[in-house]
Amino acid sequence: MTQTMKLIGIDIGTSSVKAVRVRADDGVSVEAAVSKPYAADGAPTRDATLWARLAEEALTELSTGEAICAIGFTGQMHAMVALDGDGALAAPVKLWLDMDGAPDLDAFVAAYPGSFAQETGNIPLPDFTLAKWLWARRRDPGLSGKVSGLYCAKDYVRASLDPSAPFVVDRNEATGMQVFDPFADCWHDGLLERAGLPRAALPALVPATERAGAWHGIPMVVGVGDQAAAARAIGALVPGVASLSLGTSGVLSIPLKKAALPSKWDGAFHLFPTGFDDDYQVIGTVPAFGATLRWLQTLFGRSMAELDAAAISRPAGSGRALFVPYLAGAGAPHPDHGLAAALSGLTVDTDLPAIVRAVYDGMAQELAAITEEAAAIGAPTQTIVLSGGATHLPGLVATLTAFLPCECRLIDAAEASAVGAALAALDCIAPENHRALSSTAAPRARTLTIRDDWRQAREAALSGGHFHQKD
């Protein structure tokens, strides 16, 4: 009988702090969960002290009367909390969704002589931390002399819970700052110098499973960003097993062995070290996945359950209507925020079920195409584990399993990232463990290939965009 351990995972999300208490013995189960929204309407907050206060409240609720072995952390990536030598804010807190540094990043890239993709693993992106730093430094030219510590969201909270904790970060989060070289495994001195970002203001690099401080005597573990944490929770950090998170975005995360990395990386896909080992995650996205479902509800004034039933009334892959799912632009591996969605092939006979069917098919085919493109660069997939709120829509799941070119499995874990944070803590105290949440096989009623006419519609949409140079 495996020893039973209880752990807590904290997720510093965009709209709330989520936490779970996990029981790990022969398997992994969630004993309790709490969610602490920042605002009643689900709006995000840039008050980092509120993150810390709500995290402590959640920890207190989940640990009272329990023997907790360790606490792990995850959260929204690319947030910037810049502190001065007295621990006060040296610049406004910025979140991943703050894109006002885009012009500053464009100017920086225009003057940069190197290749961002080959030196940071990703094309220059305004949601990454570097753009936020450049924006803040333009507003305050003296910022370089003031800042003593640059934190991501989860590490700021951990440091708030234990001010004596070491100043460290995992490699997954470090890559999201876009001043880290994930190939050479070090901060990029050339980028730091040009950006005016003092090396002393950056944390030391450690594994995700490193102990870093304590809360009321309970060890705290560094953890990773939210997508890597979700992959850890569902066992999708091994070759061939991918994670598909169906939330605000549709995020397909595929493991890539270090030895399989292409010799010249072009940055079309996002690339992040897992933080748990020497390997990487290749990430493709449908940015408006959840927003597309909300758009359908607004357009027709129907519940998602009614729309899902409408889709089921028409066979997957049928009908003339075609949908290319770029309502918020295209994500990796064709990142272009300027693209628009396309709904074509409409006739006087096109009704609500036909449009919902076209939307479902379009999102499923986009994810299937991304899977194909990942395989072409050395990241093949044999199994995709689906998680997130949209997995409760049977018609949508049936459409995804019909088009995705491999076995699909389902996991019922609304807080997969928080669970992954707890398992990072488990990895710290029991390195030999390989436990993850269990999954069930998703039924596959039909097996479909991507339609030729849909591929043509997608190519037309992509060619009409404003895709910028990857380097």
Side-chain angles (χ1 to χ4, degrees), residues 130-264:
L130 174 60
K132 304 172 197 326
W133 167 262
L134 295 171
W135 171 86
R137 189 164 175 255
R138 174 173 54 83
R139 294 179 75 246
D140 180 3
L143 181 60
S144 299
K146 298 175 184 177
V147 66
S148 67
L150 205 65
Y151 292 81
C152 64
K154 70 175 177 59
D155 292 333
Y156 170 83
V157 170
R158 181 175 48 77
S160 297
L161 294 170
D162 180 2
S164 66
F167 183 36
V168 295
V169 69
D170 61 283
R171 290 164 174 82
N172 183 263
E173 282 275 13
T175 302
M177 297 174 74
Q178 207 151 42
V179 288
F180 174 71
D181 183 340
F183 310 114
D185 192 30
C186 62
W187 295 112
H188 194 297
D189 289 333
L191 282 170
L192 295 178
E193 182 178 357
R194 283 179 170 266
L197 179 51
R199 173 64 184 82
L202 292 172
L205 298 160
V206 298
T209 55
E210 186 91 357
R211 175 174 174 168
W215 181 76
H216 295 286
I218 304 172
M220 295 193 297
V221 176
V222 176
V224 289
D226 50 2
Q227 290 302 321
R232 171 64 187 88
I234 65 180
L237 291 177
V238 296
V241 181
S243 164
L244 176 54
S245 174
L246 303 174
T248 303
S249 299
V251 181
L252 184 66
S253 175
I254 305 173
L256 178 66
K257 297 295 290 183
K258 188 174 184 178
L261 188 73
S263 57
K264 185 177 180 181

Side-chain angles (χ1 to χ4, degrees), residues 100-446:
D100 39 7
D104 304 282
L105 181 64
D106 287 344
F108 185 88
V109 171
Y112 185 68
S115 164
F116 264 74
Q118 295 174 35
E119 296 173 26
T120 72
N122 293 280
I123 61 173
L125 293 167
D127 46 333
F128 281 31
T129 313
L130 174 60
K132 304 172 197 326
W133 167 262
L134 295 171
W135 171 86
R137 189 164 175 255
R138 174 173 54 83
R139 294 179 75 246
D140 180 3
L143 181 60
S144 299
K146 298 175 184 177
V147 66
S148 67
L150 205 65
Y151 292 81
C152 64
K154 70 175 177 59
D155 292 333
Y156 170 83
V157 170
R158 181 175 48 77
S160 297
L161 294 170
D162 180 2
S164 66
F167 183 36
V168 295
V169 69
D170 61 283
R171 290 164 174 82
N172 183 263
E173 282 275 13
T175 302
M177 297 174 74
Q178 207 151 42
V179 288
F180 174 71
D181 183 340
F183 310 114
D185 192 30
C186 62
W187 295 112
H188 194 297
D189 289 333
L191 282 170
L192 295 178
E193 182 178 357
R194 283 179 170 266
L197 179 51
R199 173 64 184 82
L202 292 172
L205 298 160
V206 298
T209 55
E210 186 91 357
R211 175 174 174 168
W215 181 76
H216 295 286
I218 304 172
M220 295 193 297
V221 176
V222 176
V224 289
D226 50 2
Q227 290 302 321
R232 171 64 187 88
I234 65 180
L237 291 177
V238 296
V241 181
S243 164
L244 176 54
S245 174
L246 303 174
T248 303
S249 299
V251 181
L252 184 66
S253 175
I254 305 173
L256 178 66
K257 297 295 290 183
K258 188 174 184 178
L261 188 73
S263 57
K264 185 177 180 181
W265 183 255
D266 69 2
F269 281 93
H270 299 312
L271 184 78
F272 293 93
T274 69
F276 290 96
D277 51 34
D278 292 334
D279 296 325
Y280 301 97
Q281 284 181 298
V282 165
I283 295 178
T285 63
V286 179
F289 191 92
T292 299
L293 300 180
R294 290 192 295 275
W295 170 73
L296 282 174
Q297 292 178 79
T298 301
L299 190 66
F300 293 113
R302 305 288 182 89
S303 70
M304 236 6 270
E306 291 174 306
L307 294 171
D308 195 66
I312 292 172
S313 71
R314 304 290 169 87
S318 67
R320 291 181 58 184
L322 301 172
F323 179 71
V324 180
Y326 300 153
L327 285 178
H334 302 283
D336 189 338
H337 294 301
L339 284 178
L343 180 60
S344 60
L346 306 184
T347 71
V348 292
D349 297 319
T350 303
D351 54 9
L352 183 153
I355 291 177
V356 180
R357 167 49 58 205
V359 169
Y360 273 23
D361 287 357
M363 293 196 294
Q365 289 177 101
E366 179 71 14
L367 288 164
I370 292 171
T371 304
E372 289 182 352
E373 291 170 297
I377 63 164
T381 298
Q382 285 79 50
T383 302
I384 296 179
V385 184
L386 283 64
S387 65
T391 59
H392 297 294
L393 297 170
L396 179 58
V397 170
T399 306
L400 291 168
T401 60
F403 280 107
L404 289 171
C406 53
E407 176 194 19
C408 293
R409 299 187 67 82
L410 293 170
I411 197 156
D412 187 12
E415 311 304 342
S417 293
V419 172
L423 294 181
L426 177 62
D427 293 342
C428 174
I429 59 178
E432 73 287 352
N433 103 88
H434 299 289
R435 280 163 275 185
L437 291 166
S438 60
S439 61
T440 58
R444 193 173 198 174
R446 305 184 70 192

